Amino acid sequence: MILGVGIDIVEVADLERRLERETILNAFSAGEQEYADSLPLQRSEILAGRWAAKEAFGKALGSGLRTEWPLNEIEVAHDAMGRPVILLSARMARVLPFKAKVHCSISHSRAYATACVVIEQG
Ligand SMILES: CC(C)(COP(=O)(O)OP(=O)(O)OC[C@H]1O[C@@H](n2cnc3c(N)ncnc32)[C@H](O)[C@@H]1OP(=O)(O)O)[C@@H](O)C(=O)NCCC(=O)NCCS
């Protein structure tokens, strides 16, 4: 059973401006930052995709991103095939219904990044 669906789109240039002016880099986990840094030409796109995934996760839950959530504990990693997977810290996992599974898809171009998250009853 599908419990929730969330989608978000991020303007890459807007995220770049925010990275310059605000302390939002800490919204990304060390692993997310390392992955983005490993692809310098796409760094902003990749971070924008992860920002979109965090927002989409909040939308799929129905609450949106809550200010008390540590965003770097909603982490996007990849499985062996390269598919994005959302890894939650123990405290963030507690916001999910029991045995819920989280599915994520991300796409990005130079201008925009988008992500879709589906939460399913496991
Ligand atoms: C990998 C592929 C799906 C990416 O699509 P694209 O149009 O080039 O790029 P998009 O911006 O739309 O999507 C990029 C995102 O796709 C996601 N992605 C990568 N591999 C994926 C897979 N196997 N399944 C689902 N999503 C995948 C990633 O989240 C990636 O973003 P990220 O690197 O920031 O996490 C596409 O290039 C493809 O099908 N390539 C052929 C297979 C291939 O090379 N696979 C490599 C991994 S084995």
Side-chain angles (χ1 to χ4, degrees), residues 35 46 50 76 78-84 105-109:
Y35 178 63
I46 287 169
R50 274 135 191 80
V76 177
H78 296 111
D79 73 8
M81 299 292 288
R83 178 168 61 173
S105 187
I106 294 175
S107 183
H108 42 76
S109 67

Side-chain angles (χ1 to χ4, degrees), residues 44-104:
S44 306
E45 284 181 33
I46 287 169
L47 292 177
R50 274 135 191 80
W51 190 274
K54 294 169 201 280
E55 294 266 17
F57 174 77
K59 290 179 181 178
L61 274 175
S63 58
L65 284 184
R66 300 187 61 98
T67 49
E68 69 269 23
W69 288 355
L71 296 186
N72 56 8
E73 294 182 21
I74 307 167
E75 176 179 14
V76 177
H78 296 111
D79 73 8
M81 299 292 288
R83 178 168 61 173
V85 288
I86 294 191
L87 305 179
L88 300 172
S89 66
R91 73 174 141 168
M92 284 309 303
R94 284 199 286 272
V95 307
L96 279 179
F98 183 60
K99 282 194 175 176
K101 287 164 76 174
V102 181
H103 306 276
C104 176

